[in-house]
Amino acid sequence: MKSLIAHKLNRWFMLAALVIIVNGLLSWQYLQTIQANNASVIESETMTNRLDRLLSLLKDAETGQRGFIITGSEQYLAPYQTAQTELPSLLAEIEAYSSERPLFIERLPELKTLIAEQQQELITTIDLRRNQGFESAQAIVLENQGKQHMDRIRQIIEQLLDRENRRALERAAQTKLNVQRAGLALAFATLVATGFVIGTMALTERDVRHREQAANELRNQREWFAVTLASIGDAVLTTDIDGKISFMNHIATTITGWPEQQALGQSIHTVAAIFDPITKQELSHPVNIALAQHQIVTLSNSVVMRQGNGYVAIEDSAAPIYDREQQVIGAVMVFRDVSERYRDEFGQRLLRTLHNQLATTIDLAQVLETSTAVPTPSFSAACGLYLLLNADEEPLSSYSSTHEPLLNWQQHPAFAAALANGQAQLIDQALPEPYQSAIVIPFLDQHQLSGAMVFLHDQHAFDQLDVELAEELSQRMVLAIEQAYLYRQAQHAVRLRDVFLSIASHELKNPLTTLLGQSQLSLRRLERLNLADERLQRSLQAIEAQASRMNKMVTALLDVSRIETGQLDIQRDQIDLAQLLQHLVNDLAITIDHHQISYHCTSSQPIHVAGDPIRLEQVFVNLINNAMKYSPEQTEVLVSADRNAQQAIVQIRDHGIGIPPESIPNLFTRFYRASNAARSHVAGLGIGLFVVKEIVDLHGGSIEVSSQVGQGSLFTVYLPLYAANPQ
């Protein structure tokens, strides 16, 4: 540095001596001086324009940033993008023409640093506004760092403008002075040259002093930067252009498990590899992507970084590092440990998945299989469930990955301890290969179902947080198992009830038939003998009516039993449905005096169906009887028949109490009665319509109902038309 300064000083001394020697001989040099001054004035104006343009671009960039942060609209970023395009070239021009301007040489490094920091603040806030919203970007703006940078930039530019204006004024004054006092220029040439030399020496010394000061400031800034990175809450590491570690702060060494001195010079893949959380396959590193694509790369918390033999969930971003020539010289990676949040989110996702899958089945075997399959392999490498329904049965078991027991549940001490005290057990010994850790969760519900859930892992040890999640999973599983067990018990009870009804109905059928026949025979004998014993006649009529009613109930129960066991047979013959309905209505009209029944066939073509006439008569008698049962006396029940190209259509309409809308979907369910039926004091078992629908279904037909409360109901039966065998 000293030899360079001495060389410069000698050169300026030689120039001054030369000016003194040839000054008298080169009088025309005054004209050149005037021209040089004019050129200097023009150059000063040009530099002033550059500085004004620089300040304008910075203001425009800041205005575009504010507009985008406030509105979120990309169109406000046009001034900012223009500034990003023009700033590098404009700064390069200013720097290129600053070699003879000491103040510029002094101020430009600080100015460029401030501009870079101000632009970085704009980039940061714009990215925050895009990715995290207005509040995050506003928080950065409200820190006023950008304003402080801008204020300082204005101050420096104003100083440079002032210096440039003064320079222009000085050059203009010198030009005027040289024109007016050209004759005196030669006389003072030596003095001017001497002053020039002295000024040059002073400026040189001043420049050296400023350079030393700038070097000290740069060194202090680097130290401050290193201290700042070491003290922030996020992990930070930097690499060179080859992806080798050049810096790590304390948080980064804690997460990766690598001391900084050992990590320096190591590959990013060695120190901070990124893995998929489920498959544990290594992923493309964001640092490599940032170096290759020259852009910021962000990864969500679905990746983990290996720490020792385990993994740590992280959020990270990587960005390229540029030098003054905008050449990539490395990358910086910022990341944080989000393991706790990741585990919470993972636990919630796993619980939702288990709940959704268990909600799709009520079968006990499927519930057991689902309970062990869902936690594998995301939570545990293997899962087993051991269920004791009662002391007299063998325990049920289900395994996620093998048909063999994962543990000997009868002999392992952890099971006995868990079932004895009802507390979860964390096991790290006496485990089969290759498992390293296990959790045993016992359960005992109010229905005396007892057993345990076992979760095993082959890569790391479970901790207390894993135990808490395993307990929540087990609670969901036990609830589903209990419901499935109750459903199985209920199904068993229903089967017992159906068997009882079938046996009871068969056993009651013969006595009721005998009782009904004897009562009818006794009534006919009274008529033949002309015995006028009204009391005896009423008693026999009551016996006949009740026996007939019970016979219908037993017949209906037998039909239900046959339907449940698949033994309800249908004889398929060709039937004239219109004729069957006509005879049926005529027969009913003779025996009924409290309602009116009318029949109308609207089809001009014959209505032939293939079916069982007795069962079809049972369908229409049931529907007509229901219409009369739930209608006021002396109202009309309308029966109509029609057909289309494929189906016969029979409708039974009444003007009775109607059916509530909420009861219609369950109307054909076994033992179901509409909500207003009981209030009407009309007796019934709720099986008639169930039998009707089953008979219609066996004929390949369908039945529909429409109704309004208080206005009556319309039942429509559709039966396929008879199709003669082509042969």
Side-chain angles (χ1 to χ4, degrees):
M1 177 65 73
K2 291 183 179 180
S3 60
L4 179 61
I5 295 174
H7 176 72
K8 289 182 178 180
L9 291 176
N10 291 332
R11 187 175 61 182
W12 288 114
F13 277 123
M14 292 174 63
L15 179 60
L18 181 61
V19 169
I20 294 172
I21 294 172
V22 302
N23 184 52
L25 302 176
L26 302 174
S27 58
W28 55 268
Q29 186 174 352
Y30 293 106
L31 180 58
Q32 291 182 344
T33 303
I34 293 173
Q35 294 175 348
N37 288 336
N38 289 335
S40 179
V41 170
I42 294 173
E43 181 182 342
S44 295
E45 291 177 354
T46 302
M47 183 63 75
T48 300
N49 293 334
R50 292 192 186 103
L51 293 173
D52 289 336
R53 179 58 179 165
L54 176 63
L55 184 58
S56 176
L57 287 175
L58 294 175
K59 291 178 180 178
D60 289 346
E62 188 176 53
T63 301
Q65 175 228 25
R66 297 296 190 267
F68 176 74
I69 290 175
I70 293 173
T71 64
S73 175
E74 293 286 341
Q75 66 182 3
Y76 284 92
L77 289 179
Y80 163 78
Q81 294 167 349
T82 300
Q84 291 294 311
T85 302
E86 295 185 16
L87 275 175
S89 60
L90 186 57
L91 283 172
E93 289 180 8
I94 293 173
E95 187 175 14
Y97 289 93
S98 299
S99 59
E100 296 182 1
R101 290 172 172 79
L103 186 60
F104 279 66
I105 296 174
E106 173 187 356
R107 298 300 187 191
L108 270 182
E110 180 181 1
L111 179 61
K112 291 175 66 177
T113 301
L114 290 170
I115 290 174
E117 293 175 351
Q118 190 260 0
Q119 292 301 300
Q120 184 60 45
E121 191 265 349
L122 297 184
I123 292 171
T124 301
T125 54
I126 289 171
D127 288 344
L128 286 175
R129 179 62 176 90
R130 284 178 176 147
N131 300 325
Q132 300 182 19
F134 172 78
E135 288 79 7
S136 299
Q138 184 189 35
I140 299 298
V141 173
L142 292 178
E143 292 178 0
N144 286 330
Q145 290 185 0
K147 181 179 181 304
Q148 294 173 5
H149 292 156
M150 197 61 192
D151 289 343
R152 181 56 181 159
I153 289 170
R154 286 192 184 95
Q155 182 182 0
I156 293 174
I157 291 177
E158 287 173 0
Q159 291 176 357
L160 297 178
L161 285 172
D162 179 69
R163 180 66 187 90
E164 226 24 54
N165 289 333
R166 287 190 288 109
R167 177 187 177 92
L169 291 175
E170 290 173 359
R171 292 295 184 267
Q174 289 178 8
T175 300
K176 183 178 179 180
L177 183 62
N178 287 332
V179 172
Q180 294 175 352
R181 300 180 179 181
L184 298 177
L186 292 175
F188 291 97
T190 303
L191 182 61
V192 171
T194 304
F196 180 75
V197 172
I198 295 174
T200 301
M201 295 178 61
L203 290 176
T204 302
E205 182 179 358
R206 182 180 177 184
D207 179 66
V208 171
R209 186 166 58 250
H210 287 166
R211 287 178 180 273
E212 292 177 352
Q213 182 180 356
N216 292 332
E217 291 178 356
L218 180 60
R219 185 167 49 255
N220 293 335
Q221 288 177 357
R222 289 179 176 175
E223 293 177 357
W224 175 85
F225 178 72
V227 172
T228 300
L229 291 181
S231 61
I232 63 176
D234 289 341
V236 180
L237 60 81
T238 61
T239 71
D240 59 18
I241 193 66
D242 296 322
K244 295 183 178 180
I245 303 296
S246 59
F247 171 81
M248 291 177 64
N249 68 353
H250 175 70
I251 304 299
T253 62
T254 301
I255 293 178
T256 62
W258 278 77
E260 181 180 9
Q261 295 303 318
Q262 295 182 13
L264 293 180
Q266 297 288 341
S267 170
I268 187 69
H269 293 280
T270 303
V271 177
I274 301 296
F275 297 85
D276 182 271
I278 302 299
T279 64
K280 301 303 184 291
Q281 296 295 318
E282 186 171 354
L283 303 176
S284 297
H285 207 287
V287 166
N288 292 338
I289 298 174
L291 290 171
Q293 300 181 3
H294 296 184
Q295 64 182 15
I296 298 175
V297 181
T298 301
L299 291 181
S300 65
N301 60 353
S302 61
V303 296
V304 290
M305 175 181 292
R306 182 186 295 275
Q307 182 184 42
N309 292 326
Y311 297 88
V312 178
I314 63 168
E315 282 182 342
D316 69 280
S317 63
I321 301 175
Y322 297 92
D323 61 11
R324 292 185 177 182
E325 287 72 30
Q326 297 300 304
Q327 297 297 317
V328 176
I329 59 174
V332 58
M333 178 178 175
V334 180
F335 52 99
R336 63 175 59 91
D337 186 344
V338 293
S339 298
E340 184 174 351
R341 189 183 74 190
Y342 178 79
R343 293 180 71 166
D344 290 342
E345 294 175 352
F346 166 77
Q348 293 300 319
R349 288 196 304 270
L350 187 60
L351 290 171
R352 283 196 301 270
T353 301
L354 179 65
H355 172 78
N356 293 337
Q357 295 197 20
L358 289 177
T360 61
T361 181
I362 198 68
D363 180 72
L364 182 59
Q366 293 182 2
V367 168
L368 295 178
E369 181 180 354
T370 300
S371 297
T372 56
V374 170
T376 309
S378 58
F379 175 67
S380 60
C383 180
L385 189 151
Y386 305 88
L387 177 65
L388 183 64
L389 299 179
N390 56 64
D392 299 328
E393 295 186 19
E394 286 294 322
L396 299 179
S397 58
S398 178
Y399 314 107
S400 62
S401 59
T402 176
H403 296 293
E404 298 298 328
L406 301 175
L407 292 174
N408 190 329
W409 71 277
Q410 293 178 320
Q411 298 180 4
H412 200 286
F415 279 87
L419 293 175
N421 57 29
Q423 301 294 322
Q425 299 291 317
L426 195 59
I427 310 172
D428 58 2
Q429 56 185 356
L431 296 174
E433 293 292 339
Y435 304 113
Q436 302 178 11
S437 181
I439 301 174
V440 178
I441 308 293
F443 58 84
L444 179 67
D445 76 344
Q446 59 182 347
H447 299 284
Q448 302 303 309
L449 297 175
S450 62
M453 290 293 305
V454 179
F455 304 90
L456 299 102
H457 216 295
D458 56 359
Q459 293 188 1
H460 66 82
F462 288 117
D463 57 21
Q464 188 58 38
L465 292 177
D466 294 323
V467 174
E468 294 175 2
L469 177 56
E471 289 178 334
E472 292 189 30
L473 290 171
S474 299
Q475 290 175 3
R476 306 287 178 93
M477 297 174 186
V478 171
L479 180 60
I481 292 170
E482 178 183 352
Q483 292 175 343
Y485 175 73
L486 292 177
Y487 176 76
R488 191 173 79 165
Q489 296 295 96
Q491 290 292 96
H492 179 66
V494 168
R495 287 193 295 271
L496 291 178
R497 182 200 63 189
D498 291 341
V499 171
F500 168 76
L501 289 176
S502 178
I503 295 173
S505 299
H506 281 89
E507 294 298 326
L508 289 174
K509 185 67 175 177
N510 291 333
L512 283 174
T513 302
T514 302
L515 179 61
L516 181 60
Q518 291 297 324
S519 63
Q520 293 173 346
L521 180 61
S522 298
L523 285 172
R524 286 195 293 272
R525 286 177 179 175
L526 285 177
E527 292 177 359
R528 286 198 305 269
L529 296 175
N530 292 323
L531 295 177
D533 191 340
E534 295 183 0
R535 183 176 181 181
L536 176 60
Q537 188 175 12
R538 286 196 301 269
S539 297
L540 289 173
Q541 289 174 345
I543 292 173
E544 181 192 19
Q546 294 301 320
S548 178
R549 179 172 177 271
M550 290 189 65
N551 188 54
K552 292 179 180 178
M553 294 172 58
V554 169
T555 300
L557 288 173
L558 281 172
D559 286 340
V560 171
S561 177
R562 293 188 186 103
I563 291 171
E564 291 295 327
T565 58
Q567 298 178 356
L568 184 64
D569 296 326
I570 298 296
Q571 302 297 326
R572 296 190 180 276
D573 299 320
Q574 183 179 358
I575 303 170
D576 187 337
L577 188 61
Q579 185 178 8
L580 182 147
L581 290 170
Q582 183 68 66
H583 292 163
L584 177 63
V585 171
N586 291 340
D587 292 343
L588 289 174
I590 295 173
T591 60
I592 295 172
D593 57 1
H594 51 275
H595 284 88
Q596 300 177 14
I597 306 177
S598 63
Y599 168 71
H600 178 61
C601 179
T602 59
S603 174
S604 60
Q605 297 177 328
I607 307 176
H608 291 163
V609 299
D612 189 326
I614 296 176
R615 289 300 180 183
L616 289 178
E617 183 176 323
Q618 179 182 354
V619 167
F620 298 124
V621 167
N622 188 292
L623 294 175
I624 294 172
N625 284 336
N626 278 354
M628 294 187 295
K629 185 189 302 184
Y630 295 103
S631 299
E633 292 186 359
Q634 304 307 320
T635 57
E636 185 178 19
V637 175
L638 304 176
V639 181
S640 65
D642 197 359
R643 60 169 286 175
N644 56 29
Q646 291 85 26
Q647 293 177 310
I649 305 171
V650 180
Q651 293 185 322
I652 294 94
R653 182 186 297 275
D654 65 63
H655 302 282
I657 63 175
I659 305 169
E662 65 273 10
S663 297
I664 290 179
N666 300 315
L667 197 61
F668 299 99
T669 304
R670 182 176 54 175
F671 302 119
Y672 180 82
R673 302 190 70 202
S675 58
N676 59 346
R679 296 195 297 269
S680 301
H681 305 290
V682 178
L685 294 176
I687 60 178
L689 290 178
F690 168 73
V691 175
V692 164
K693 186 177 186 306
E694 292 296 327
I695 293 175
V696 172
D697 288 344
L698 289 173
H699 280 81
S702 61
I703 183 169
E704 297 178 354
V705 58
S706 61
S707 180
Q708 291 186 355
V709 176
Q711 298 185 18
S713 303
L714 174 64
F715 285 81
T716 304
V717 177
Y718 299 92
L719 295 171
L721 293 174
Y722 177 81
N725 193 326
Q727 298 179 353

